[in-house]
Amino acid sequence: MAQWTSAVGAAQLARLLNSQQERPAGLGTRRPPAYRALADGVRLLVLEGRVPVAARLPAERELALSLSVSRTTVAAAYEALRAEGFLESRRGAGSWTAVPAGNPLPARGLEPLPPEALGSMIDLGCAALPAPEPWLTRAVQGALEELPPYAHTHGDYPAGLPALREMLAERYTARGIPTMPEQIMVTTGAMGAIDAICHLFAGRGERIAVESPSYANILQLMREAGARLVPVAMAEGLAGWDMDRWRQVLRDAAPRLAYVVADFHNPTGALADEDQRRKLVDAARSAGTVLIVDETMSELHLDEGLEMPRPVCGFDPAGSTVITVGSASKAFWAGMRIGWVRAAPDVIRSLVAARAYADLGTPVLEQLAVNWLLSTGGWEQAVDIRRTQARENRDALVTALRRELPGWEYDVPRGGLTLWVRTGGLSGSRLAEVGERVGVRVPSGPRFGVDGAFEGYVRLPFTVGGAVADEAATRLAAAARLVESGANGGTESPRTFVA
């Protein structure tokens, strides 16, 4: 990368280094020199995504003071990191984090498994469940009954069917967010919505702040649009956003857009609380940054008694800062490619006008099917089926993992479709590679990071349950044993990413 896109202060870096758990040394081993321990600590923070790639590190003197070590120790650590490819420097610009060149890591999103491989492979790649029947069939039948009047028109509705726009506006209003149909545009899935927003607001080379980790397919969409991604590390576990980091990035990097998942974040499962939502909107407004808020997981609250926070757009009454994206794909079925945007009317008009050069509109029949579900009460019943499926699968997967892989670490989310798992020091990329050979497909952590972060993680979705969840955990454990032993078809060792 040519230069840094965010910064880590000396006190902040010292806190992160001090929070790392001390690893016990084996018999007969000696404690490494101070500079080596410091370099290893920074390297681990980068690989785990707790310090973003392309983050400017503090000057040697500042970090030495914060850590109470000599400047020589910090200088030697920085030099070691540069030699290993984890640090780049330029006179007058300072030093910033990097990942070594020549070691390509997976960046693209994980494509669906080909149908012919479904019999032999357990697919944990895509966070998508089968359709909640009989509601899919009923919705399509209802749409066919309502289709004839539309068949006598041109069929092009760039903003979406008026009936569906009105229904979606009513649902936001019922959630306490007054909304007019003029504030809604129907899109071809959430991906289509975010693609349109990025093209409208962020030209090539513009900075977009993203959570770190974040949803792999959106990261790749933004890369291919020419955006410069600025990662903002999530807080530990399920704590949600680290607001100090967000304020710093929004202030220093001044990104044109920021993309966040406040409701059961993909992949960590974190749920941002109302205070975090309010503070992020305030910080974005002050920085002149437009927030894209992805609500595709918002209805998948799995635990009884969980009170959901207000939508993020509820903290932006003027509508100048938050653009909300929703979709039927997670709450209902991934094959129902219907998404939507809620924004200020002038933003919707601009998006609709730009659509003439993109996809022109969303299929009418699928819009009618979603409208039928929303207007008949079928949506709520279908989502109840989806929640039950996801809850049972989550509990089965967690039970199987605790039995087969007790050393792996994760926090069990209260909703969503994904479990973000730290693999006990094993390389997530190697686990994904070996896993396919033993019959389980799993996406590695770097797919959800920027420039190689999260090598020590994998994402596991709640898409299988019962005996299949047990077998998936058994195959993952087999893959882990092969990675630990270095039995990887003759490729290089070691199989772990930590020192």
Side-chain angles (χ1 to χ4, degrees):
M1 243 178 227
Q3 62 184 20
W4 55 274
T5 56
S6 61
V8 181
Q12 180 186 7
L13 183 56
R15 284 195 301 272
L16 290 169
L17 289 165
N18 290 332
S19 71
Q20 292 176 332
Q21 293 184 352
E22 194 73 29
R23 290 185 176 83
L27 292 175
T29 62
R30 294 184 299 174
R31 183 180 295 276
Y35 86 89
R36 184 69 261 172
L38 175 56
D40 287 345
V42 172
R43 178 166 60 94
L44 182 57
L45 289 172
V46 172
L47 286 168
E48 290 192 340
R50 298 176 68 193
V51 170
V53 175
R56 187 179 186 272
L57 295 186
E60 294 170 3
R61 188 185 304 275
E62 294 175 1
L63 185 57
L65 287 172
S66 292
L67 292 174
S68 298
V69 299
S70 70
R71 183 177 177 182
T72 302
T73 296
V74 177
Y78 278 16
E79 182 58 35
L81 289 166
R82 276 190 288 270
E84 296 164 4
F86 286 94
L87 197 68
E88 296 181 11
S89 302
R90 180 184 299 154
R91 187 178 299 277
S95 299
W96 57 93
T97 55
V99 291
N103 294 304
L105 294 166
R108 301 189 64 86
L110 197 65
E111 293 79 15
L113 189 68
E116 60 271 18
L118 290 174
S120 59
M121 184 78 68
I122 297 176
D123 186 9
L124 298 180
C126 297
L129 289 162
E133 289 288 27
W135 294 104
L136 174 62
T137 299
R138 292 181 182 178
V140 173
Q141 290 172 341
L144 288 171
E145 292 175 1
E146 297 176 7
L147 182 62
Y150 295 93
H152 294 291
T153 73
H154 47 65
D156 287 336
Y157 296 89
L161 293 184
L164 181 55
R165 296 176 73 196
E166 184 175 352
M167 181 60 64
L168 292 169
E170 289 177 2
R171 288 178 64 83
Y172 277 105
T173 301
R175 295 169 66 190
I177 314 296
T179 303
M180 304 178 294
E182 291 79 9
Q183 292 176 261
I184 300 292
M185 181 177 83
V186 181
T187 62
T188 307
M191 292 286 289
I194 294 169
D195 183 55
I197 295 166
C198 288
H199 278 89
L200 178 64
F201 282 91
R204 298 192 68 85
E206 290 274 8
R207 291 177 175 177
I208 301 179
V210 295
E211 297 152 326
S212 183
S214 187
Y215 178 38
N217 289 336
I218 293 297
L219 294 180
Q220 187 61 24
L221 181 155
M222 292 175 174
R223 290 187 190 101
E224 294 187 355
R228 295 179 60 194
L229 301 183
V230 183
V232 186
M234 297 285 287
E236 284 292 292
L238 297 177
W241 299 323
D242 185 325
M243 288 312 306
D244 288 339
R245 296 187 188 186
W246 269 106
R247 278 189 287 264
Q248 181 182 17
V249 167
L250 293 175
R251 181 184 65 245
D252 296 345
R256 183 70 182 93
L257 291 173
Y259 168 75
V260 296
V261 184
D263 302 302
F264 310 120
H265 175 259
N266 186 354
T268 69
L271 176 65
D273 61 34
E274 290 204 359
D275 186 55
Q276 290 173 320
R277 296 170 189 233
R278 180 185 298 104
K279 289 178 178 177
L280 184 58
V281 173
D282 290 345
R285 185 182 297 116
S286 297
T289 299
V290 175
L291 287 176
I292 306 174
V293 179
D294 187 335
E295 285 191 338
T296 55
M297 296 282 193
S298 64
E299 296 194 61
L300 293 176
H301 40 89
L302 306 182
D303 289 351
E304 296 294 334
L306 177 60
E307 185 174 346
M308 291 294 293
R310 279 188 293 165
V312 177
C313 58
F315 300 96
D316 180 37
S320 59
T321 301
V322 176
I323 298 177
T324 302
V325 172
S327 172
S329 66
K330 298 299 185 185
F332 186 74
W333 184 47
M336 187 68 77
R337 306 305 303 162
I338 298 295
W340 53 85
V341 178
R342 181 203 180 272
D346 61 317
V347 172
I348 295 298
R349 286 193 293 271
S350 297
L351 288 170
V352 171
R355 198 169 194 179
Y357 309 102
D359 63 357
L360 294 177
T362 301
V364 170
L365 187 63
E366 292 186 29
Q367 291 188 72
L368 288 172
V370 172
N371 188 62
W372 183 92
L373 286 165
L374 294 174
S375 61
T376 62
W379 178 271
E380 283 72 21
Q381 295 185 62
V383 172
D384 281 342
I385 294 173
R386 174 67 76 240
R387 291 193 192 109
T388 299
Q389 290 175 320
R391 184 186 307 113
E392 292 175 351
N393 288 354
R394 177 196 64 181
D395 296 347
L397 180 63
V398 168
T399 298
L401 287 175
R402 286 173 176 163
R403 181 183 64 250
E404 299 291 338
L405 291 156
W408 286 16
E409 302 172 31
Y410 43 85
D411 291 293
V412 181
R414 305 191 68 185
L417 288 172
T418 57
L419 195 67
W420 186 236
V421 181
R422 189 186 307 221
T423 57
L426 297 178
S427 162
S429 297
R430 303 299 181 233
L431 281 166
E433 177 186 348
V434 177
E436 294 223 18
R437 296 212 309 272
V438 300
V440 60
R441 192 168 186 250
V442 57
S444 62
R447 295 184 183 275
F448 305 90
V450 175
D451 297 317
F454 305 108
E455 183 56 51
Y457 290 81
V458 294
R459 189 197 73 172
L460 304 179
F462 311 146
T463 53
V464 297
V468 180
D470 290 337
E471 180 62 21
T474 299
R475 295 184 187 186
L476 281 173
R481 288 192 294 271
L482 289 171
V483 170
E484 285 179 314
S485 69
N488 196 25
T491 59
E492 73 283 356
S493 293
R495 287 293 150 247
T496 58
F497 77 96
V498 295

